[in-house]
Amino acid sequence: HRLELYQVDIKYGPVIGDKEGNKIQTYLSSLIDDHSRLILHSEWFDNQKKEIVEDTVHKAVLKYGLFDSLYVDNGKQYISEQLQLSCARIGVKIRHAPPFSGKSKGKIERFHQTVDRFIAELTASPVHSISEMNEKWKVFLEEDYQKKKHEGIAGYYRSKGVDVPKEGISPLQEWNRDTRDLKFMDSGNVSEAFSREETRQIDQTGCFEFRGVTYEASAAYAGLKVKIDL
């Protein structure tokens, strides 16, 4: 069923040039539903930091509700303490792919072939900012993937002896016809679950340091830890 297992991954994109001549390396963070192959959220960024994975999952939960498990590889973006904390807050289990096992993430890797078509189109019609890139990507994603027949879905049903319509089945159709109900959290609670935080220990003088700046708390709190919401 939908919502049982999501996969998230980052793909290297092209280098684009802004109007001032600066070069920007791009990265695509995407989250796919393992059953329907629907892309829950996909967005281009100018970095591949752990925060872009957290942001991708966060936005997907806001749009489609809660899910059961998240399947990731073992890169630093996917084993961050913050991602594990946020998923635990909403009841999502994180599962890690075996090392060097590309086949285990075949569905999102297949989706990345669709991304390659988009990248090829940018050669003929360049973009000059991440925001412009995302505007074009949103249109491409909806029309050239979500609503297009998917051979993987058809192959699955044929393997079960189920007839597939001549026009095929798209990820969006497969998602919409699933019988499992969507379950949403209050948007404020979702934002709280994905809020970023760090902890620091207060020293004997009642101070703690954060990002190169020393802050004064109170000597009465010496030895305790302070939580900093980001």
Side-chain angles (χ1 to χ4, degrees):
H1 285 284
R2 63 185 182 184
L3 307 170
E4 288 187 6
L5 182 67
Y6 286 179
Q7 296 183 27
V8 66
D9 203 8
I10 296 173
K11 176 179 174 64
Y12 273 72
V15 176
I16 62 173
D18 65 19
K19 293 181 179 179
E20 286 71 42
N22 301 308
K23 301 298 183 182
I24 305 170
Q25 174 64 58
T26 62
Y27 306 88
L28 182 69
S29 178
S30 304
L31 187 68
I32 190 172
D33 175 59
D34 188 85
H35 170 72
S36 67
R37 276 80 158 180
L38 188 76
I39 299 300
L40 293 313
H41 188 73
S42 184
E43 186 174 347
W44 291 96
F45 295 88
D46 62 359
N47 67 82
Q48 55 175 336
K49 296 178 181 178
K50 60 185 180 182
E51 286 82 6
I52 75 172
V53 174
E54 298 161 17
D55 186 68
T56 301
V57 178
H58 182 184
K59 289 176 178 175
V61 172
L62 287 174
K63 289 192 290 185
Y64 294 99
L66 300 176
F67 61 101
D68 296 342
S69 299
L70 181 65
Y71 193 65
V72 299
D73 66 24
N74 298 281
K76 62 182 180 181
Q77 298 95 336
Y78 313 107
I79 60 173
S80 72
E81 182 178 344
Q82 183 61 51
L83 180 63
Q84 304 222 17
L85 177 61
S86 295
C87 286
R89 287 169 172 169
I90 60 174
V92 170
K93 296 179 181 178
I94 295 182
R95 301 179 181 180
H96 292 277
F100 311 109
S101 178
K103 290 183 179 180
S104 67
K105 297 185 69 180
K107 291 176 182 176
I108 198 161
E109 292 298 337
R110 170 62 184 83
F111 166 68
H112 284 165
Q113 295 177 27
T114 300
V115 181
D116 289 336
R117 296 206 311 269
F118 172 76
I119 293 173
E121 288 189 5
L122 294 182
T123 303
S125 180
V127 295
H128 301 289
S129 68
I130 294 293
S131 60
E132 185 183 355
M133 194 172 185
N134 276 315
E135 288 175 8
K136 287 193 173 187
W137 172 240
K138 183 178 180 180
V139 175
F140 182 94
L141 180 63
E142 290 299 318
E143 299 302 324
D144 280 61
Y145 180 79
Q146 308 278 50
K147 297 178 182 178
K148 288 286 185 72
K149 66 178 181 180
H150 195 293
E151 287 304 317
I153 299 174
Y156 166 77
Y157 282 111
R158 291 189 186 112
S159 72
K160 301 292 184 182
V162 178
D163 291 334
V164 177
K166 184 182 299 185
E167 64 274 15
I169 304 170
S170 72
L172 184 60
Q173 289 173 321
E174 184 67 6
W175 173 271
N176 285 335
R177 73 181 193 166
D178 196 284
T179 57
R180 184 172 181 183
D181 292 334
L182 304 182
K183 183 180 179 181
F184 291 92
M185 284 180 67
D186 177 82
S187 60
N189 291 337
V190 175
S191 295
E192 184 177 348
F194 282 88
S195 62
R196 298 185 179 98
E197 60 185 44
E198 293 187 22
T199 59
R200 294 291 186 273
Q201 187 161 9
I202 301 174
D203 63 24
Q204 295 303 313
T205 66
C207 298
F208 65 93
E209 187 174 309
F210 179 67
R211 294 182 176 175
V213 179
T214 299
Y215 296 89
E216 183 178 355
S218 170
Y221 300 134
L224 300 180
K225 292 184 178 179
V226 59
K227 182 178 74 173
I228 305 164
D229 293 325
L230 305 179

